Coordinates of all heavy atoms in Angstrom, one line a residue:
M1 N 203.5 -125.1 -92.1 CA 203.5 -124.7 -90.7 C 203.5 -123.2 -90.6 O 204.3 -122.7 -89.8 CB 204.6 -125.4 -90.0 CG 204.5 -126.8 -89.8 SD 204.6 -127.0 -88.0 CE 205.3 -128.6 -87.9
K2 N 202.7 -122.5 -91.3 CA 202.7 -121.1 -91.3 C 202.2 -120.5 -90.0 O 202.4 -119.4 -89.7 CB 201.9 -120.5 -92.5 CG 202.5 -120.8 -93.8 CD 201.8 -120.1 -94.9 CE 202.6 -120.4 -96.2 NZ 202.4 -119.5 -97.2
D3 N 201.4 -121.4 -89.2 CA 200.9 -120.9 -87.9 C 202.0 -121.0 -86.8 O 201.7 -120.6 -85.7 CB 199.6 -121.6 -87.6 CG 199.8 -123.1 -87.4 OD1 200.7 -123.7 -88.0 OD2 199.1 -123.7 -86.6
K4 N 203.1 -121.6 -87.1 CA 204.2 -121.8 -86.1 C 205.4 -121.1 -86.5 O 205.6 -120.8 -87.7 CB 204.5 -123.3 -85.9 CG 203.2 -124.1 -85.5 CD 203.5 -124.8 -84.2 CE 202.2 -125.6 -83.8 NZ 202.3 -126.0 -82.5
I5 N 206.2 -120.8 -85.5 CA 207.5 -120.1 -85.8 C 208.6 -120.8 -85.0 O 208.4 -121.3 -83.9 CB 207.4 -118.6 -85.4 CG1 208.7 -117.9 -85.8 CG2 207.1 -118.4 -84.0 CD1 208.5 -116.3 -85.7
L6 N 209.8 -121.0 -85.7 CA 210.9 -121.7 -85.1 C 211.8 -120.6 -84.5 O 212.4 -119.8 -85.2 CB 211.6 -122.5 -86.1 CG 212.8 -123.4 -85.5 CD1 212.3 -124.4 -84.6 CD2 213.6 -124.0 -86.7
L7 N 211.9 -120.6 -83.2 CA 212.8 -119.6 -82.5 C 214.0 -120.2 -81.9 O 214.0 -121.4 -81.4 CB 211.9 -118.9 -81.4 CG 210.7 -118.1 -81.8 CD1 209.9 -117.6 -80.6 CD2 211.1 -117.0 -82.7
D8 N 215.1 -119.4 -81.8 CA 216.3 -119.9 -81.2 C 216.3 -119.2 -79.8 O 216.4 -118.0 -79.6 CB 217.5 -119.3 -82.0 CG 218.8 -119.8 -81.4 OD1 218.8 -120.6 -80.4 OD2 219.9 -119.3 -81.9
I9 N 216.0 -120.1 -78.8 CA 215.9 -119.6 -77.4 C 217.3 -119.8 -76.7 O 217.8 -120.9 -76.6 CB 214.9 -120.5 -76.6 CG1 213.6 -120.6 -77.4 CG2 214.7 -119.9 -75.2 CD1 212.8 -119.4 -77.5
Y10 N 217.8 -118.7 -76.2 CA 219.0 -118.7 -75.5 C 218.8 -118.6 -74.0 O 218.0 -117.7 -73.5 CB 219.9 -117.5 -75.9 CG 221.2 -117.4 -75.2 CD1 222.1 -118.4 -75.2 CD2 221.5 -116.3 -74.5 CE1 223.4 -118.4 -74.6 CE2 222.8 -116.2 -73.8 CZ 223.7 -117.2 -73.8 OH 224.8 -117.2 -73.2
L11 N 219.4 -119.5 -73.2 CA 219.3 -119.5 -71.7 C 220.6 -119.0 -71.2 O 221.6 -119.8 -71.0 CB 219.0 -120.9 -71.2 CG 217.8 -121.5 -71.8 CD1 217.7 -123.0 -71.5 CD2 216.5 -120.8 -71.3
P12 N 220.8 -117.7 -70.9 CA 222.0 -117.1 -70.4 C 222.6 -117.8 -69.1 O 223.8 -117.9 -69.0 CB 221.8 -115.7 -70.2 CG 220.5 -115.4 -70.9 CD 219.7 -116.7 -71.0
A13 N 221.7 -118.2 -68.3 CA 222.1 -118.8 -67.0 C 223.0 -120.0 -67.2 O 223.9 -120.3 -66.3 CB 220.9 -119.1 -66.1
I14 N 222.8 -120.8 -68.3 CA 223.6 -122.0 -68.5 C 224.3 -121.9 -69.9 O 224.9 -122.9 -70.3 CB 222.7 -123.3 -68.4 CG1 221.5 -123.2 -69.4 CG2 222.2 -123.5 -67.0 CD1 220.7 -124.5 -69.5
E15 N 224.2 -120.8 -70.5 CA 224.9 -120.5 -71.8 C 224.6 -121.6 -72.8 O 225.5 -122.2 -73.5 CB 226.4 -120.4 -71.6 CG 226.8 -119.3 -70.7 CD 228.3 -119.2 -70.5 OE1 229.1 -120.1 -70.9 OE2 228.7 -118.1 -69.9
K16 N 223.3 -121.9 -72.9 CA 222.8 -122.9 -73.9 C 221.7 -122.3 -74.8 O 220.9 -121.4 -74.3 CB 222.3 -124.2 -73.3 CG 223.4 -125.0 -72.6 CD 222.9 -126.3 -72.2 CE 224.0 -127.1 -71.6 NZ 223.5 -128.4 -71.0
S17 N 221.6 -122.8 -76.0 CA 220.5 -122.4 -76.9 C 219.8 -123.6 -77.3 O 220.4 -124.7 -77.4 CB 221.1 -121.7 -78.1 OG 221.6 -120.4 -77.8
M18 N 218.5 -123.5 -77.7 CA 217.8 -124.6 -78.2 C 216.7 -124.0 -79.2 O 216.3 -122.8 -79.0 CB 217.1 -125.4 -77.1 CG 216.2 -124.6 -76.2 SD 215.5 -125.7 -74.9 CE 217.0 -126.1 -74.0
E19 N 216.3 -124.7 -80.1 CA 215.3 -124.3 -81.0 C 213.9 -124.8 -80.6 O 213.8 -126.0 -80.2 CB 215.6 -124.8 -82.5 CG 216.8 -124.1 -83.1 CD 217.0 -124.5 -84.5 OE1 216.6 -125.7 -84.9 OE2 217.5 -123.7 -85.3
V20 N 212.9 -123.9 -80.6 CA 211.6 -124.3 -80.1 C 210.6 -123.7 -81.1 O 210.7 -122.6 -81.6 CB 211.3 -123.8 -78.7 CG1 209.9 -124.1 -78.3 CG2 212.3 -124.3 -77.7
R21 N 209.6 -124.5 -81.5 CA 208.6 -124.1 -82.4 C 207.3 -123.7 -81.6 O 206.9 -124.5 -80.8 CB 208.3 -125.2 -83.4 CG 207.4 -124.7 -84.6 CD 207.3 -125.8 -85.6 NE 208.5 -126.3 -86.2 CZ 209.2 -125.7 -87.2 NH1 208.7 -124.6 -87.7 NH2 210.3 -126.2 -87.7
I22 N 206.8 -122.5 -81.8 CA 205.7 -122.1 -81.0 C 204.7 -121.4 -82.0 O 205.0 -121.0 -83.1 CB 206.0 -121.1 -79.9 CG1 206.6 -119.8 -80.4 CG2 206.9 -121.7 -78.9 CD1 206.8 -118.7 -79.4
S23 N 203.4 -121.4 -81.6 CA 202.3 -120.8 -82.4 C 202.5 -119.3 -82.5 O 202.7 -118.6 -81.4 CB 201.0 -121.2 -81.8 OG 199.9 -120.5 -82.4
R24 N 202.2 -118.8 -83.6 CA 202.2 -117.3 -83.8 C 201.1 -116.7 -83.1 O 201.1 -115.5 -82.8 CB 202.2 -117.0 -85.3 CG 203.4 -117.4 -86.1 CD 203.2 -117.0 -87.6 NE 204.3 -117.6 -88.4 CZ 205.4 -116.9 -88.7 NH1 205.6 -115.7 -88.2 NH2 206.3 -117.4 -89.4
Q25 N 200.0 -117.4 -82.9 CA 198.8 -116.9 -82.3 C 198.8 -116.9 -80.7 O 197.9 -116.4 -80.1 CB 197.5 -117.7 -82.7 CG 197.1 -117.4 -84.2 CD 198.0 -118.1 -85.2 OE1 198.4 -119.2 -84.9 NE2 198.3 -117.5 -86.3
M26 N 199.9 -117.4 -80.2 CA 200.1 -117.4 -78.7 C 200.4 -116.0 -78.2 O 201.1 -115.2 -78.9 CB 201.2 -118.3 -78.3 CG 200.9 -119.7 -78.1 SD 202.4 -120.5 -77.4 CE 201.6 -122.0 -76.8
K27 N 200.0 -115.7 -77.0 CA 200.5 -114.5 -76.3 C 201.9 -114.9 -75.7 O 202.2 -116.0 -75.4 CB 199.5 -114.0 -75.2 CG 198.3 -113.4 -75.8 CD 197.4 -112.8 -74.7 CE 196.2 -112.1 -75.3 NZ 195.5 -111.4 -74.3
V28 N 202.7 -113.8 -75.4 CA 204.0 -114.1 -74.8 C 203.8 -114.8 -73.5 O 204.6 -115.7 -73.2 CB 204.7 -112.7 -74.6 CG1 206.0 -112.9 -73.8 CG2 205.0 -112.1 -76.0
A29 N 202.8 -114.5 -72.7 CA 202.6 -115.1 -71.4 C 202.4 -116.6 -71.6 O 202.9 -117.5 -70.8 CB 201.5 -114.5 -70.6
Q30 N 201.6 -117.0 -72.6 CA 201.3 -118.4 -72.9 C 202.6 -119.1 -73.4 O 202.9 -120.2 -73.0 CB 200.3 -118.5 -74.0 CG 198.9 -118.0 -73.5 CD 197.9 -117.9 -74.7 OE1 198.3 -117.3 -75.7 NE2 196.8 -118.6 -74.6
A31 N 203.4 -118.4 -74.2 CA 204.6 -119.0 -74.7 C 205.6 -119.2 -73.5 O 206.3 -120.2 -73.5 CB 205.2 -118.1 -75.8
T32 N 205.6 -118.3 -72.6 CA 206.5 -118.4 -71.4 C 206.1 -119.6 -70.6 O 207.0 -120.4 -70.2 CB 206.4 -117.1 -70.6 OG1 206.8 -116.0 -71.4 CG2 207.3 -117.2 -69.4
E33 N 204.8 -119.8 -70.4 CA 204.4 -121.0 -69.6 C 204.7 -122.2 -70.3 O 205.2 -123.2 -69.7 CB 202.9 -120.9 -69.4 CG 202.4 -119.8 -68.4 CD 200.9 -119.7 -68.3 OE1 200.2 -120.7 -68.6 OE2 200.4 -118.7 -67.9
M34 N 204.5 -122.3 -71.6 CA 204.8 -123.4 -72.4 C 206.3 -123.8 -72.3 O 206.7 -124.9 -72.2 CB 204.4 -123.2 -73.9 CG 204.6 -124.5 -74.7 SD 204.8 -124.1 -76.5 CE 206.4 -123.3 -76.5
L35 N 207.2 -122.7 -72.4 CA 208.6 -122.9 -72.4 C 209.1 -123.4 -71.0 O 210.0 -124.3 -70.9 CB 209.4 -121.7 -72.7 CG 209.3 -121.3 -74.2 CD1 209.8 -119.9 -74.4 CD2 210.1 -122.3 -75.1
V36 N 208.5 -122.9 -69.9 CA 208.8 -123.4 -68.6 C 208.5 -124.9 -68.5 O 209.3 -125.7 -68.0 CB 208.1 -122.6 -67.5 CG1 208.2 -123.3 -66.1 CG2 208.6 -121.2 -67.4
D37 N 207.3 -125.3 -69.0 CA 206.9 -126.7 -68.9 C 207.8 -127.6 -69.8 O 208.2 -128.6 -69.4 CB 205.4 -126.9 -69.4 CG 204.4 -126.3 -68.5 OD1 204.7 -126.1 -67.3 OD2 203.3 -126.1 -68.9
F38 N 208.2 -127.0 -71.0 CA 209.1 -127.8 -71.9 C 210.5 -128.0 -71.2 O 211.0 -129.1 -71.2 CB 209.3 -127.0 -73.2 CG 210.3 -127.5 -74.1 CD1 210.1 -128.6 -74.8 CD2 211.6 -126.9 -74.1 CE1 211.1 -129.1 -75.7 CE2 212.6 -127.3 -75.0 CZ 212.3 -128.5 -75.8
L39 N 211.0 -126.9 -70.6 CA 212.3 -127.0 -69.9 C 212.3 -128.0 -68.7 O 213.3 -128.6 -68.4 CB 212.8 -125.7 -69.5 CG 213.3 -124.8 -70.7 CD1 213.5 -123.4 -70.3 CD2 214.5 -125.4 -71.4
K40 N 211.2 -128.1 -68.0 CA 211.1 -129.0 -66.9 C 211.2 -130.4 -67.3 O 211.6 -131.3 -66.6 CB 209.7 -128.8 -66.2 CG 209.7 -127.5 -65.3 CD 208.3 -127.4 -64.7 CE 208.3 -126.1 -63.8 NZ 207.0 -125.9 -63.2
R41 N 210.9 -130.7 -68.6 CA 210.9 -132.1 -69.1 C 212.3 -132.4 -69.8 O 212.5 -133.5 -70.2 CB 209.8 -132.3 -70.1 CG 208.4 -132.3 -69.5 CD 207.4 -132.7 -70.5 NE 207.4 -132.0 -71.7 CZ 206.6 -130.9 -72.0 NH1 205.8 -130.4 -71.1 NH2 206.7 -130.3 -73.2
Q42 N 213.1 -131.3 -69.9 CA 214.4 -131.5 -70.6 C 215.5 -131.8 -69.5 O 215.4 -131.5 -68.4 CB 214.8 -130.3 -71.4 CG 213.8 -129.9 -72.4 CD 213.5 -131.0 -73.4 OE1 214.4 -131.6 -74.0 NE2 212.2 -131.4 -73.6
D43 N 216.6 -132.2 -70.0 CA 217.8 -132.4 -69.2 C 218.7 -131.2 -69.2 O 219.7 -131.1 -69.8 CB 218.6 -133.6 -69.7 CG 219.7 -134.0 -68.8 OD1 219.6 -133.7 -67.5 OD2 220.7 -134.6 -69.2
V44 N 218.2 -130.1 -68.5 CA 219.0 -128.9 -68.4 C 219.1 -128.5 -66.9 O 218.3 -128.9 -66.1 CB 218.3 -127.7 -69.1 CG1 218.2 -128.0 -70.6 CG2 216.9 -127.4 -68.6
E45 N 220.2 -127.8 -66.6 CA 220.5 -127.4 -65.3 C 219.8 -126.2 -64.8 O 219.9 -125.8 -63.6 CB 222.0 -127.1 -65.1 CG 222.9 -128.2 -65.6 CD 223.2 -128.2 -67.1 OE1 223.2 -127.1 -67.7 OE2 223.5 -129.2 -67.7
Y46 N 218.9 -125.6 -65.6 CA 218.3 -124.4 -65.3 C 216.8 -124.5 -65.6 O 216.4 -124.9 -66.7 CB 218.9 -123.3 -66.1 CG 218.1 -122.0 -66.1 CD1 218.1 -121.1 -65.0 CD2 217.4 -121.6 -67.2 CE1 217.4 -119.9 -65.0 CE2 216.7 -120.4 -67.2 CZ 216.7 -119.6 -66.1 OH 216.0 -118.4 -66.1
I47 N 216.0 -124.2 -64.7 CA 214.5 -124.1 -64.9 C 214.0 -122.7 -64.5 O 214.1 -122.3 -63.4 CB 213.8 -125.1 -64.0 CG1 214.3 -126.6 -64.2 CG2 212.3 -125.0 -64.2 CD1 214.0 -127.1 -65.6
P48 N 213.5 -122.0 -65.5 CA 213.0 -120.7 -65.3 C 211.8 -120.8 -64.3 O 211.2 -121.8 -64.2 CB 212.6 -120.2 -66.7 CG 213.3 -121.0 -67.6 CD 213.5 -122.3 -66.9
N49 N 211.5 -119.7 -63.7 CA 210.3 -119.7 -62.8 C 209.2 -118.7 -63.3 O 209.3 -118.3 -64.4 CB 210.8 -119.2 -61.4 CG 211.4 -117.9 -61.3 OD1 211.1 -117.0 -62.1 ND2 212.3 -117.6 -60.4
E50 N 208.2 -118.5 -62.5 CA 207.1 -117.7 -63.0 C 207.4 -116.2 -63.2 O 206.7 -115.5 -63.9 CB 205.9 -117.8 -62.0 CG 206.2 -117.4 -60.6 CD 206.8 -118.4 -59.7 OE1 206.9 -119.6 -60.1 OE2 207.3 -118.1 -58.6
E51 N 208.6 -115.8 -62.8 CA 209.0 -114.4 -63.0 C 209.9 -114.4 -64.3 O 210.4 -113.3 -64.7 CB 209.8 -113.8 -61.9 CG 208.9 -113.2 -60.8 CD 208.4 -114.2 -59.8 OE1 209.3 -115.0 -59.4 OE2 207.3 -114.1 -59.4
S52 N 210.1 -115.5 -65.0 CA 210.9 -115.5 -66.2 C 210.2 -114.7 -67.3 O 209.0 -114.6 -67.4 CB 211.1 -117.0 -66.6 OG 211.8 -117.7 -65.6
C53 N 211.1 -114.1 -68.1 CA 210.6 -113.2 -69.2 C 211.3 -113.6 -70.5 O 212.4 -114.1 -70.5 CB 210.9 -111.8 -68.8 SG 210.1 -111.2 -67.4
L54 N 210.7 -113.3 -71.5 CA 211.3 -113.4 -72.9 C 211.8 -112.0 -73.3 O 211.0 -111.0 -73.2 CB 210.2 -113.9 -73.9 CG 209.7 -115.4 -73.6 CD1 208.6 -115.7 -74.6 CD2 210.9 -116.3 -73.7
Y55 N 213.0 -112.0 -73.8 CA 213.6 -110.8 -74.3 C 214.1 -111.0 -75.7 O 214.4 -112.1 -76.2 CB 214.9 -110.5 -73.5 CG 214.6 -110.2 -72.0 CD1 214.4 -111.2 -71.1 CD2 214.7 -108.9 -71.6 CE1 214.2 -110.9 -69.8 CE2 214.5 -108.6 -70.2 CZ 214.2 -109.6 -69.3 OH 214.0 -109.3 -68.0
D56 N 214.1 -109.9 -76.5 CA 214.7 -109.9 -77.8 C 216.2 -110.0 -77.6 O 216.8 -109.1 -76.9 CB 214.3 -108.6 -78.5 CG 214.9 -108.6 -80.0 OD1 216.1 -108.8 -80.2 OD2 214.1 -108.2 -80.8
A57 N 216.9 -111.0 -78.1 CA 218.3 -111.2 -77.9 C 219.2 -110.1 -78.5 O 220.3 -109.8 -78.1 CB 218.7 -112.5 -78.4
E58 N 218.7 -109.4 -79.6 CA 219.4 -108.4 -80.3 C 219.3 -107.0 -79.5 O 220.3 -106.3 -79.4 CB 219.0 -108.3 -81.7 CG 219.4 -109.5 -82.5 CD 218.9 -109.3 -84.0 OE1 218.7 -108.2 -84.4 OE2 218.8 -110.4 -84.6
T59 N 218.1 -106.7 -79.1 CA 217.9 -105.4 -78.5 C 217.9 -105.4 -76.9 O 218.1 -104.4 -76.3 CB 216.6 -104.8 -79.0 OG1 215.5 -105.5 -78.4 CG2 216.5 -104.7 -80.5
G60 N 217.7 -106.6 -76.3 CA 217.5 -106.7 -74.9 C 216.1 -106.3 -74.4 O 215.9 -106.3 -73.2
K61 N 215.3 -105.9 -75.3 CA 213.9 -105.4 -75.0 C 213.1 -106.6 -74.5 O 213.0 -107.7 -75.1 CB 213.2 -104.8 -76.2 CG 211.8 -104.3 -75.9 CD 211.2 -103.8 -77.2 CE 209.7 -103.5 -76.9 NZ 209.0 -103.3 -78.1
I62 N 212.4 -106.4 -73.4 CA 211.5 -107.4 -72.8 C 210.2 -107.4 -73.7 O 209.7 -106.4 -74.1 CB 211.2 -107.1 -71.3 CG1 210.4 -108.3 -70.7 CG2 210.4 -105.8 -71.1 CD1 210.2 -108.2 -69.2
F63 N 209.7 -108.6 -73.9 CA 208.4 -108.7 -74.7 C 207.3 -108.6 -73.7 O 207.2 -109.3 -72.7 CB 208.3 -110.0 -75.4 CG 209.3 -110.2 -76.5 CD1 210.2 -111.2 -76.6 CD2 209.4 -109.2 -77.5 CE1 211.1 -111.4 -77.6 CE2 210.3 -109.3 -78.6 CZ 211.2 -110.4 -78.6
E64 N 206.3 -107.7 -73.9 CA 205.2 -107.5 -73.1 C 204.3 -108.8 -73.1 O 204.1 -109.4 -74.2 CB 204.3 -106.3 -73.6 CG 203.4 -105.7 -72.6 CD 202.1 -106.4 -72.5 OE1 201.5 -106.7 -73.5 OE2 201.7 -106.7 -71.3
C65 N 203.9 -109.2 -71.9 CA 203.3 -110.6 -71.8 C 201.9 -110.7 -72.5 O 201.5 -111.8 -72.9 CB 203.1 -111.0 -70.3 SG 202.1 -109.9 -69.3
N66 N 201.2 -109.6 -72.8 CA 199.9 -109.7 -73.5 C 200.1 -109.6 -75.0 O 199.1 -109.6 -75.7 CB 199.0 -108.6 -72.9 CG 198.3 -109.1 -71.6 OD1 198.1 -110.2 -71.4 ND2 198.1 -108.1 -70.8
A67 N 201.3 -109.3 -75.5 CA 201.5 -109.2 -76.9 C 201.4 -110.6 -77.6 O 201.8 -111.6 -77.0 CB 202.9 -108.6 -77.2
F68 N 200.9 -110.6 -78.8 CA 200.9 -111.8 -79.5 C 202.2 -112.0 -80.2 O 202.8 -111.1 -80.7 CB 199.8 -111.8 -80.6 CG 198.4 -112.0 -80.0 CD1 197.6 -110.9 -79.6 CD2 197.9 -113.3 -79.7 CE1 196.4 -111.1 -79.0 CE2 196.7 -113.5 -79.2 CZ 195.9 -112.4 -78.8
I69 N 202.7 -113.3 -80.3 CA 204.0 -113.6 -80.9 C 204.0 -113.0 -82.4 O 205.0 -112.4 -82.8 CB 204.2 -115.1 -80.9 CG1 204.3 -115.7 -79.5 CG2 205.4 -115.5 -81.8 CD1 205.4 -115.1 -78.7
E70 N 202.9 -113.1 -83.1 CA 202.8 -112.7 -84.5 C 203.0 -111.2 -84.6 O 203.4 -110.7 -85.7 CB 201.6 -113.2 -85.2 CG 200.3 -112.5 -84.6 CD 199.0 -113.1 -85.2 OE1 199.1 -113.9 -86.2 OE2 198.0 -112.9 -84.7
N71 N 202.8 -110.4 -83.6 CA 202.9 -109.0 -83.6 C 204.3 -108.5 -83.2 O 204.5 -107.3 -83.1 CB 201.8 -108.3 -82.8 CG 200.5 -108.6 -83.4 OD1 200.3 -108.9 -84.6 ND2 199.5 -108.6 -82.5
L72 N 205.2 -109.4 -82.9 CA 206.5 -108.9 -82.3 C 207.6 -108.8 -83.4 O 208.7 -108.4 -83.1 CB 207.0 -110.0 -81.3 CG 206.2 -110.1 -80.1 CD1 206.7 -111.2 -79.2 CD2 206.1 -108.8 -79.3
G73 N 207.3 -109.1 -84.7 CA 208.2 -108.9 -85.7 C 209.2 -110.1 -85.8 O 210.3 -110.0 -86.4
L74 N 208.9 -111.2 -85.1 CA 209.8 -112.3 -85.1 C 209.6 -113.2 -86.4 O 208.5 -113.1 -87.0 CB 209.5 -113.2 -83.9 CG 209.7 -112.5 -82.5 CD1 209.3 -113.4 -81.4 CD2 211.2 -112.1 -82.3
H75 N 210.6 -113.9 -86.7 CA 210.5 -114.8 -87.9 C 211.3 -116.0 -87.6 O 212.0 -116.1 -86.5 CB 211.2 -114.1 -89.1 CG 212.5 -113.5 -88.9 ND1 213.7 -114.3 -88.9 CD2 213.0 -112.3 -88.5 CE1 214.7 -113.6 -88.6 NE2 214.3 -112.4 -88.4
N76 N 211.2 -117.0 -88.4 CA 211.9 -118.3 -88.2 C 213.4 -118.0 -88.0 O 214.0 -117.2 -88.8 CB 211.8 -119.2 -89.4 CG 210.4 -119.9 -89.4 OD1 209.9 -120.2 -88.3 ND2 209.9 -120.2 -90.5
G77 N 214.0 -118.5 -86.9 CA 215.4 -118.2 -86.6 C 215.6 -117.0 -85.7 O 216.8 -116.8 -85.4
S78 N 214.6 -116.3 -85.4 CA 214.8 -115.1 -84.5 C 215.4 -115.6 -83.2 O 215.0 -116.7 -82.7 CB 213.5 -114.4 -84.2 OG 213.1 -113.7 -85.3
K79 N 216.3 -114.8 -82.6 CA 216.9 -115.2 -81.3 C 216.3 -114.4 -80.2 O 216.2 -113.2 -80.2 CB 218.4 -114.9 -81.4 CG 219.1 -115.7 -82.5 CD 220.6 -115.3 -82.5 CE 221.3 -116.0 -83.6 NZ 221.1 -117.4 -83.9
I80 N 215.8 -115.2 -79.2 CA 215.3 -114.6 -78.0 C 216.0 -115.1 -76.8 O 216.5 -116.2 -76.8 CB 213.7 -114.7 -77.9 CG1 213.3 -116.2 -77.8 CG2 213.0 -114.1 -79.1 CD1 211.8 -116.4 -77.6
M81 N 215.9 -114.4 -75.7 CA 216.5 -114.9 -74.4 C 215.4 -115.2 -73.5 O 214.4 -114.5 -73.5 CB 217.4 -113.8 -73.8 CG 218.7 -113.5 -74.6 SD 219.8 -112.4 -73.7 CE 218.8 -110.9 -73.7
F82 N 215.6 -116.1 -72.6 CA 214.7 -116.6 -71.6 C 215.4 -116.5 -70.3 O 216.3 -117.3 -70.1 CB 214.2 -117.9 -71.9 CG 212.9 -118.3 -71.2 CD1 211.9 -117.5 -70.9 CD2 212.8 -119.7 -70.8 CE1 210.8 -117.8 -70.2 CE2 211.6 -120.1 -70.1 CZ 210.6 -119.2 -69.8
L83 N 215.1 -115.6 -69.4 CA 215.8 -115.5 -68.1 C 214.9 -115.0 -67.0 O 213.8 -114.4 -67.3 CB 217.0 -114.7 -68.2 CG 216.9 -113.3 -68.9 CD1 216.7 -112.2 -67.9 CD2 218.2 -113.1 -69.7
N84 N 215.3 -115.3 -65.8 CA 214.5 -114.9 -64.7 C 214.7 -113.4 -64.5 O 215.7 -112.8 -64.7 CB 215.0 -115.6 -63.4 CG 214.7 -117.0 -63.4 OD1 213.8 -117.5 -64.1 ND2 215.3 -117.8 -62.5
S85 N 213.6 -112.7 -64.1 CA 213.6 -111.3 -63.9 C 213.7 -111.0 -62.4 O 213.1 -111.8 -61.6 CB 212.3 -110.7 -64.5 OG 212.3 -109.3 -64.1
F86 N 214.4 -110.0 -62.0 CA 214.5 -109.6 -60.6 C 213.2 -108.8 -60.2 O 212.9 -108.7 -59.1 CB 215.7 -108.8 -60.3 CG 217.0 -109.6 -60.5 CD1 217.8 -109.4 -61.6 CD2 217.3 -110.6 -59.6 CE1 218.9 -110.2 -61.8 CE2 218.5 -111.4 -59.8 CZ 219.3 -111.2 -60.9
L87 N 212.6 -108.3 -61.2 CA 211.4 -107.5 -61.0 C 210.2 -108.2 -61.6 O 210.3 -108.9 -62.6 CB 211.5 -106.1 -61.6 CG 212.6 -105.3 -61.1 CD1 212.7 -104.0 -62.0 CD2 212.5 -104.9 -59.7
K88 N 209.0 -108.1 -61.0 CA 207.8 -108.7 -61.6 C 207.2 -107.6 -62.5 O 206.9 -106.6 -62.0 CB 206.9 -109.1 -60.5 CG 205.5 -109.6 -60.9 CD 205.7 -111.0 -61.6 CE 204.3 -111.5 -62.0 NZ 204.3 -112.5 -63.0
F89 N 207.1 -107.9 -63.7 CA 206.4 -107.0 -64.7 C 205.0 -107.5 -64.9 O 204.7 -108.5 -65.5 CB 207.2 -107.0 -66.0 CG 208.5 -106.5 -66.0 CD1 209.6 -107.3 -65.8 CD2 208.8 -105.1 -66.0 CE1 210.9 -106.8 -65.7 CE2 210.1 -104.6 -65.9 CZ 211.1 -105.5 -65.8
P90 N 204.0 -106.7 -64.3 CA 202.6 -107.2 -64.4 C 202.1 -107.0 -65.9 O 202.6 -106.1 -66.6 CB 201.9 -106.2 -63.5 CG 202.7 -105.0 -63.3 CD 204.2 -105.5 -63.5
C91 N 201.3 -107.9 -66.2 CA 200.6 -107.8 -67.5 C 199.6 -106.7 -67.5 O 199.1 -106.3 -66.4 CB 199.9 -109.1 -67.9 SG 201.0 -110.5 -68.3
E92 N 199.2 -106.2 -68.6 CA 198.2 -105.1 -68.6 C 197.0 -105.6 -68.0 O 196.5 -106.7 -68.3 CB 198.0 -104.8 -70.1 CG 197.2 -103.5 -70.3 CD 197.1 -103.2 -71.8 OE1 198.1 -102.9 -72.4 OE2 196.0 -103.2 -72.3
G93 N 196.4 -104.9 -67.1 CA 195.2 -105.3 -66.4 C 195.4 -105.9 -65.1 O 194.5 -106.1 -64.3
E94 N 196.7 -106.3 -64.8 CA 197.0 -106.9 -63.5 C 197.4 -105.7 -62.5 O 197.8 -104.7 -63.0 CB 198.2 -107.8 -63.5 CG 197.9 -109.1 -64.2 CD 199.1 -110.0 -64.1 OE1 200.1 -109.7 -63.5 OE2 199.0 -111.1 -64.7
S95 N 197.2 -105.9 -61.3 CA 197.6 -104.8 -60.3 C 198.5 -105.4 -59.3 O 198.8 -106.5 -59.2 CB 196.4 -104.3 -59.6 OG 195.5 -105.3 -59.1

């Protein structure tokens, strides 16, 4: 499964973590959409919305939505946070 990566996703709003396997070839925006759909099917008290963002859990840095997962320096077991943003960060090319 070299084309997939197992990430530890932390949801600060409900103080829960879960492991999710995603494709290294996905863009962050695609991974975000996939995670929202995944969480809607789970028994969790928190559902991120379209303004939700992925952050590096160690640095707090937001991942740019057009970046590919494989270019973020993530590896199996990397910890990321998934939370709603108060600001809308447009992807490159959006206005």
Side-chain angles (χ1 to χ4, degrees):
M1 287 242 210
K2 292 187 180 204
D3 64 328
K4 301 238 180 194
I5 186 170
L6 184 65
L7 298 173
D8 183 5
I9 310 291
Y10 178 61
L11 304 169
I14 58 172
E15 298 180 352
K16 289 188 180 178
S17 292
M18 60 184 63
E19 290 185 332
V20 178
R21 192 173 301 277
I22 62 173
S23 170
R24 293 178 187 271
Q25 288 77 37
M26 276 186 158
K27 288 187 175 184
V28 170
Q30 294 169 306
T32 301
E33 288 176 24
M34 184 202 73
L35 289 168
V36 168
D37 290 341
F38 172 77
L39 288 169
K40 285 179 180 176
R41 295 189 305 268
Q42 302 304 307
D43 185 25
V44 295
E45 304 88 28
Y46 167 74
I47 302 294
N49 60 30
E50 59 277 348
E51 275 88 39
S52 298
C53 297
L54 295 176
Y55 294 79
D56 184 310
E58 292 181 21
T59 66
K61 178 183 173 193
I62 188 171
F63 294 126
E64 201 277 313
C65 61
N66 281 325
F68 285 94
I69 297 297
E70 65 187 348
N71 296 334
L72 297 175
L74 300 173
H75 52 82
N76 282 329
S78 286
K79 298 180 185 316
I80 62 175
M81 292 187 296
F82 194 38
L83 49 96
N84 292 343
S85 175
F86 295 106
L87 301 173
K88 176 70 174 158
F89 294 96
C91 290
E92 191 174 298
E94 287 184 5
S95 50

